[in-house]
Every structure is written in structure tokens, then in C-alpha cells.
């Protein structure tokens, strides 16, 4: 297989899952890990991928908080399935936090029917989606902070805004999650914000596709002792399923939308 064909397949996996492991590509493409790392290096040089420990991830700004849906139909279906499944955890009268990301935009869309909801977010896109003057039972709290290249509010001001708050559930998309590193972020400012969100939540719900498993970003966000639930998909490998047994929910991309809690309207 020609290098450009391999690289197109790698990009397709990145767009579908947000991240990919070298070992997975070796198995899928039938080439050596040296070849895969060379391909990832070329994609990184062209600005199409970021090198991360054990694999590659989409560059910052190519997904997440842009407010745009993922590029393909399969991508949108996968994000929607994660968001809808995560939203079933939300009950009327609760308070939730949504960190910035495409999956949490889908959570936001799915919880619009839930009554008496308070939402804290560092995502202007989520705030716009949920703000509705005709819904006096819904409160939307948008943090301050500095807009990063992907359009999320991050940094010390965001962390200070979150410090005195307490929410029932946090829905957290992650750059990477692994057995050894726990939850990790791509950059320092984003990770600082996510740590503040975790500290404010009684329960943290990770919302991440299986392609993020094994990806280790620059900065730590949380250990597994700080995670209550993980919402992912059927592609999650056995080691992840074993680690997360008892707190793992797996979505199917073509699953119908479930209701988001009891007493919705």
C-alpha cells in the first residue's frame, strides 16, 4: 500500500474517533510500527495530526468547540449516540456541568427536554444551545475565561469562576484516557479548566469515543478514583472494559434516541 493511501486511512480513523493508536494501525494496515510512526510524523508535519504517546490525535481546533459537527455522517452518528446515552443520566431538578466538545454539544441537545435544570459550562456553543428565554426553569451559567483556538473558555479566570460551584454531574470529553495516565488533556490551560470542573462535580461522567483510549496528552486531568461513569462505544478494547467494569456505558451509533430522564417535557 502506498504511503499516501495509508495516510488517508489514518486520517479517516482520526476523523471518526478523534484519536488512534499505533498498535491498532499496525494490525489494521499490516505494516510495521516504524512505518506507521513515519506516516504519523508526515501528517503531523502537514498539520493534519498531533503526535501523542502511543499514537495520534486530531489537531486542536479541528474538532471540539468549533460548534461544527464532525466531518462525516458516521462521526456525527457516533457523537450523537454518546451524547444521547450520557444524557439518560440527567434527572429533572439537577445541576450539571458540560465541558467543551462535540460530544457534550450532543449531551446538551439531548437534555433540552429535562425540566428544572441548571447548567454550568465553559462552552459558548453549549450556552447558546441551551439558553431559552421561554424556559424559566432552566439556568445557564457561562464561565469567564480566555477563548482558546477552538472557542472554549479556559485558563485561571475560568478556574476561579468554577471554584465556589457544586454540581451533581460533570460531562467531560477528554483528549485521551488510559489505564496508567487516567484522563489527560492536550494543553495546560484546557487541563486546568477540566480539573476545576472535576473538583466542582459530585460525579464525573467521561464522554469519549474508543479511539481516545490509549492516547496520553500533555497534562493530567483526573485519576480513575475521580471518575464515576465512562460513556464510550463498542470499539473499546478488553483492557479498558476490565478496568471500567461497573461504571461503563457503551453506545451504539445507530441506537435510537433514549429519553433524557424522568418527568421531561
Amino acid at each position: 500500500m502506498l504511503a499516501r493511501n495509508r495516510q488517508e486511512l489514518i486520517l479517516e480513523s482520526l476523523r471518526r474517533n478523534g484519536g488512534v493508536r499505533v498498535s491498532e494501525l499496525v494490525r489494521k494496515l499490516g505494516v510495521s510500527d516504524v512505518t506507521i510512526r513515519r506516516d504519523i510524523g508526515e501528517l503531523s508535519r502537514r498539520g493534519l495530526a498531533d503526535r501523542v504517546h502511543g499514537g495520534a490525535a486530531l489537531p486542536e481546533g479541528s474538532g471540539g468547540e468549533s460548534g461544527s459537527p464532525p466531518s462525516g455522517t458516521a462521526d456525527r452518528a457516533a457523537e450523537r449516540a454518546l451524547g444521547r446515552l450520557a444524557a439518560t443520566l440527567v434527572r429533572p431538578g439537577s445541576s450539571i456541568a458540560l465541558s467543551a466538545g462535540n460530544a457534550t454539544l450532543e449531551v446538551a441537545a439531548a437534555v433540552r427536554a429535562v425540566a428544572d435544570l441548571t447548567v454550568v459550562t465553559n462552552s459558548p456553543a453549549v450556552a447558546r444551545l441551551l439558553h431559552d428565554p421561554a424556559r424559566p426553569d432552566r439556568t445557564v451559567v457561562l464561565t469567564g475565561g480566555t477563548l482558546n483556538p477552538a472557542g472554549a473558555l479556559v485558563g485561571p479566570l475560568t478556574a476561579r469562576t468554577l471554584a465556589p460551584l457544586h454540581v451533581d454531574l460533570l460531562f467531560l470529553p477528554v483528549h485521551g484516557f488510559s489505564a496508567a495516565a487516567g484522563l489527560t488533556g492536550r494543553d495546560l490551560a484546557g487541563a486546568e479548566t477540566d480539573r476545576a470542573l472535576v473538583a466542582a462535580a459530585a460525579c464525573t461522567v467521561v464522554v469519549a469515543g474508543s479511539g481516545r483510549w490509549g492516547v496520553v496528552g500533555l497534562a493530567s486531568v483526573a485519576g480513575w478514583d475521580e471518575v464515576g461513569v465512562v460513556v464510550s462505544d463498542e470499539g473499546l478494547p478488553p483492557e479498558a472494559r476490565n478496568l471500567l467494569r461497573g461504571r461503563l456505558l457503551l453506545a451504539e451509533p445507530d441506537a435510537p434516541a433514549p429519553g433524557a430522564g424522568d418527568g421531561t417535557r
Side-chain angles (χ1 to χ4, degrees):
M1 182 184 295
L2 295 174
R4 65 174 179 270
N5 293 332
R6 288 195 309 271
Q7 290 162 18
E8 282 300 319
L9 289 172
I10 293 171
L11 281 174
E12 181 182 337
S13 293
L14 285 172
R15 290 167 186 149
R16 184 170 59 252
N17 301 308
V20 68
R21 297 182 297 277
V22 169
S23 58
E24 177 184 329
L25 292 170
V26 167
R27 184 172 61 253
K28 180 178 179 180
L29 301 180
V31 295
S32 70
D33 62 345
V34 172
T35 298
I36 294 299
R37 292 180 193 280
R38 187 183 302 119
D39 288 336
I40 290 173
E42 175 60 19
L43 293 172
S44 176
R45 187 188 65 79
R46 292 159 54 194
L48 298 174
D50 282 346
R51 291 176 183 263
V52 296
H53 179 73
L58 285 176
E60 184 164 1
S62 60
E65 191 46 28
S66 64
S68 303
S71 57
T73 301
D75 303 322
R76 289 193 295 273
E79 296 284 2
R80 191 176 304 118
L82 292 177
R84 288 172 171 173
L85 181 56
T88 63
L89 300 171
V90 180
R91 296 293 177 261
S94 60
S95 58
I96 66 172
L98 296 168
S99 186
N102 280 326
T104 42
L105 275 172
E106 296 292 349
V107 176
V111 301
R112 283 182 293 184
V114 180
D116 301 316
L117 199 61
T118 297
V119 180
V120 176
T121 185
N122 68 322
S123 163
V126 166
R128 286 192 297 270
L129 182 64
L130 290 177
H131 174 64
D132 184 354
R135 290 291 303 270
D137 64 319
R138 183 188 301 149
T139 300
V140 178
V141 179
L142 181 62
T143 69
T146 302
L147 283 169
N148 71 6
L153 292 162
V154 299
L157 180 57
T158 311
R160 286 197 295 272
T161 302
L162 292 166
L165 302 183
H166 303 278
V167 297
D168 299 316
L169 292 171
L170 162 65
F171 294 93
L172 182 69
V174 293
H175 174 67
F177 61 133
S178 69
L183 314 182
T184 55
R186 184 194 305 276
D187 59 80
L188 297 176
E192 177 187 26
T193 298
D194 283 343
R195 285 194 296 270
L197 284 163
V198 170
C203 177
T204 293
V205 181
V206 176
V207 187
S210 59
R212 293 289 176 180
W213 178 259
V215 174
V216 178
L218 175 67
S220 294
V221 171
W224 289 115
D225 59 334
E226 299 173 274
V227 175
V229 181
V230 174
V231 179
S232 191
D233 58 66
E234 294 286 350
L236 209 61
E239 65 163 327
R241 297 184 187 220
N242 290 335
L243 174 69
L244 302 173
R245 186 179 291 115
R247 50 180 168 171
L248 178 62
L249 300 177
L250 295 177
E252 299 177 5
D254 57 352
D262 301 322
T264 59
R265 67 181 189 182

